[in-house]
Amino acid sequence: MTLFLLFVASAVTLGYAVLRHDRIVAAREGEAVRASIQNRVEEIREALAGAVSESEMLAYLARADLEGLHRRFGQPLNQTAGLEYVYITDSQGNLVYASENGQRGAGATSRTLAPAIRRLLDELREAPQGIERDGLSVGTNGGVLLCAYVFRMQDDAVAGGQPLVVVAADALDADLLGSLARSAALEEGALKLADGAGGSGQGGLVLTNLLDGSPVRLAWRSGQPATGLLLAAVPLLLVVALLLCLLFFVLLVRARRLAAALGRSEARARDLVNHDQLTGLASRSHFMFLLEEALQPMAARHVAVVFVDLDDFKAINDTHGHGVGDTLLRVVGQRMRECLGDRGTVARIGGDEFVLFVRCESEPELGGFVASLYRVLGVSIQVDMLELKVEASMGSARAPRDAATPDELMRLADIALYRAKADGGGVFRDFEPAFEQEHLRLRRTEQELVIALERAELTVLYQPQVDVETERIVGFEALVRWDHPTRGRLLPGAFVPIAERSRLITRIDAFVLRRACADAKVLPGVTLSVNLSPVNLTTAAIADEIQATLQETGFDPNRLELEITESAIIDPAAAAALGRLREKGIRLALDDFGTGHASLVHVRRYPITKIKVDRSFILNLGQQRDAASIVEYVVRLGRSLGVTVTAEGVETREQLRFLRAFGAHHAQGYLFAPPLPLDAAVKMLEQQRAGAAAQLHGSGPERPQEAPRLPSVG
């Protein structure tokens, strides 16, 4: 019923709109026909006015030279203006001159038109200033369009002083009707003379017949575009209506079947909601429901929530495939469920993250359960002929000691897990209030860092690297700083470790690389060093992403030097990425050498082009003998391997003298310049070039110049 009423309402609305549109179109067509008639009248009037002057016409009539007047007046109007009938009459309608179809003299048409001419003259006399009149004369033999009275001639010598009137008539034949139709933008042949009100779909213009004063109609068939479009669309609309009814019926039947199927699948849906489909453990929502029940006052006195995260699952999954990883998760989940027994519930809430709650009466009981959990998880797992071992980090929170609600217990246990992973992983941490304060601080810094990336609060500075012998700039290292809105400018140590744990370091490294490559276009002829986090080296597409950045900025890869830490090259996953980067011409520098677990063995194994001696060794040059021995040893071995050696943190000229004596290649530190804004780095490089140019054109050998001291900017 609703569908039917909607259809009827739509049809009525559409019909009304169609009729209204067609009425507007018909009115516009009538105005166009009236305008086309008036245009023709104006053409006739102008033809009469331009055919012969009044004085010339009076001269012909005074001489009674009608033949001359015909050649000068009647014939041209017929031949050029297409006027079939031209008459000159006195005020009573008596003919003085007549031209019909280009022939001089009056014929039957003049007698037929006589009543119409007299009526036209009567109207002319009644008009206050009427010197122009037109009208339509229609008889049994068709009609003529009588022209406006062009001018009135008064001369006592002609017609006894009576005014003479010029009347022209254009036959309403097919040519004239066709011309009027074209002028009104109607179809060819659409305009015709008609009696009565006209047929259906006809437009019409009612005029007065000058013969007898009766109404006469110029009729045409209106285009009625909306009606035509509606009639053409009616079959389609009917088909659509039938299809809609059929579709409604089919949907009704299908809805009944779906309602029946819904009841059968409801149990399956509840199972999907309540259980993890891979391991069969409880889902997060079902776990929260059961935990809330366990926290009821009469259920148990003590409940502990324990988060369990598999530390090395990602490496196993990436190395052996998702099939092995899924099997491993199922086995771990089953072992945890068996270890827990009926003391609680375990759920899988993430890829390799589990959570459980256990009812316990004391802290030693919880400690014993955690120890048993570590024992069962420490047993090797056989998967497809592979023997796998997993390690887990665990964090717990207890009710009612730490919290009394499920959400709060989950939050605090997650904080304890975060602390366990921050302490190196593979350990258990029970929640302590200090964990939350530290966690909140780190989370706040992490959130502020996200905002800093969006608001462009990170700044890239450039510290020059100089040749030890000449002290000339050979490169710049791009160093990131955070201009915190309340804490001021922060060094990387205050936010990079947090960014690495949250993987925001990926965005930071990408930002620094893009900005540095774009900026370094104004630092020509020197290398650009950019730090790359170990987190990024484990990304499979890191080489492609760096190459894309170089193409986007147009920076020469042979000028780019990526600085990586010693811990990064120990990871086997980094070897492939390092090889691809070196193939692109990008240089690789081993940063902070001597502070990690690597050695020069790794320099020989990987495509390293530079090692940077850590600033802690440079600081003690000249103060501790061991420091000088270590730096000298590293420099000599580096040179023997064909690797460039750069010393970081050079602050005194005494340290620089040691480095020259040892044979180090490059140096970097506040002795030469602090990290500089781009414009200051450009200026420093330009000053060096200007000095080199002056020495080139001067006299005497070139001598090393000490770099200018610039104020610290961070």
Side-chain angles (χ1 to χ4, degrees), residues 100-122:
E100 296 182 354
N101 295 314
Q103 301 297 321
R104 186 174 68 85
T109 302
S110 64
R111 292 188 293 273
T112 302
L113 293 178
I117 294 175
R118 283 194 296 272
R119 183 180 292 273
L120 188 63
L121 295 178
D122 291 341

Side-chain angles (χ1 to χ4, degrees), residues 471-508:
E471 297 187 36
R472 299 186 62 80
I473 299 174
V474 295
F476 286 91
E477 180 181 0
L479 300 170
V480 65
R481 300 291 186 265
W482 180 4
D483 291 325
H484 195 281
T486 58
R487 299 165 60 187
R489 175 161 287 182
L490 301 181
L491 297 178
F495 60 91
V496 167
I498 299 173
E500 288 183 333
R501 282 197 293 269
S502 62
R503 302 194 71 84
L504 282 174
I505 193 65
T506 300
R507 294 176 57 185
I508 294 176

Side-chain angles (χ1 to χ4, degrees), residues 468 618 621 631 647 650 655-664 667:
V468 169
I618 305 301
L621 282 178
V631 173
V650 179
Q655 294 169 353
L656 181 61
R657 284 193 292 271
F658 272 102
L659 294 174
R660 282 177 178 164
F662 297 156

Side-chain angles (χ1 to χ4, degrees), residues 425-696:
V427 296
F428 168 78
R429 291 291 180 264
D430 196 17
F431 175 77
E432 297 177 11
F435 294 174
E436 184 173 20
Q437 297 301 319
E438 177 66 13
H439 181 73
L440 290 176
R441 186 188 68 81
L442 295 178
R443 288 300 300 272
R444 183 169 57 253
T445 302
E446 180 182 332
Q447 293 168 358
E448 291 175 345
L449 192 54
V450 173
I451 297 174
L453 286 167
E454 296 173 353
R455 296 180 179 177
E457 294 177 1
L458 296 184
T459 301
V460 179
L461 303 179
Y462 301 90
Q463 187 172 34
Q465 298 172 337
V466 303
D467 183 272
V468 169
E469 293 295 332
T470 64
E471 297 187 36
R472 299 186 62 80
I473 299 174
V474 295
F476 286 91
E477 180 181 0
L479 300 170
V480 65
R481 300 291 186 265
W482 180 4
D483 291 325
H484 195 281
T486 58
R487 299 165 60 187
R489 175 161 287 182
L490 301 181
L491 297 178
F495 60 91
V496 167
I498 299 173
E500 288 183 333
R501 282 197 293 269
S502 62
R503 302 194 71 84
L504 282 174
I505 193 65
T506 300
R507 294 176 57 185
I508 294 176
D509 280 0
F511 162 77
V512 173
L513 179 63
R514 183 174 288 103
R515 173 63 59 82
C517 289
D519 288 350
K521 291 181 179 180
V522 296
L523 298 170
V526 295
T527 61
L528 173 67
S529 298
V530 180
N531 290 278
L532 186 65
S533 170
V535 176
N536 286 324
L537 281 177
T538 61
T539 304
I542 183 62
D544 295 331
E545 293 172 359
I546 293 175
Q547 182 68 16
T549 300
L550 292 174
Q551 292 177 353
E552 177 185 342
T553 57
F555 190 73
D556 183 5
N558 293 301
R559 290 179 56 201
L560 178 63
E561 183 175 78
L562 296 177
E563 297 191 7
I564 57 178
T565 60
E566 296 181 5
S567 59
I569 63 174
I570 299 176
D571 190 342
L578 293 176
R580 290 190 60 191
L581 291 171
R582 192 68 190 97
E583 290 174 0
K584 301 294 184 180
I586 299 172
R587 308 179 192 185
L588 302 174
L590 191 57
D591 198 13
D592 299 334
F593 186 82
T595 61
H597 304 287
S599 65
L600 287 175
V601 175
H602 296 98
V603 178
R604 300 181 62 183
R605 182 179 303 170
Y606 294 97
I608 302 298
T609 58
K610 176 189 286 188
I611 57 175
K612 301 187 72 174
V613 183
D614 187 67
R615 67 182 65 248
S616 61
F617 299 111
I618 305 301
L619 180 64
N620 294 319
L621 282 178
Q623 300 179 16
Q624 296 181 3
R625 181 177 300 178
D626 291 346
S629 300
I630 293 173
V631 173
E632 182 180 13
Y633 177 74
V634 171
V635 170
R636 289 183 177 179
L637 283 181
R639 293 184 70 95
S640 67
L641 294 173
V643 176
T644 302
V645 180
T646 298
E648 293 184 296
V650 179
E651 298 183 359
T652 66
R653 301 206 68 83
E654 183 180 6
Q655 294 169 353
L656 181 61
R657 284 193 292 271
F658 272 102
L659 294 174
R660 282 177 178 164
F662 297 156
H665 300 91
H666 300 155
Q668 175 181 345
Y670 275 68
L671 174 64
F672 312 105
L676 304 170
L678 179 62
D679 54 351
V682 171
K683 184 176 180 180
M684 189 174 185
L685 194 59
E686 290 175 348
Q687 289 176 347
Q688 174 176 283
R689 289 177 181 159
Q695 291 176 351
L696 182 64

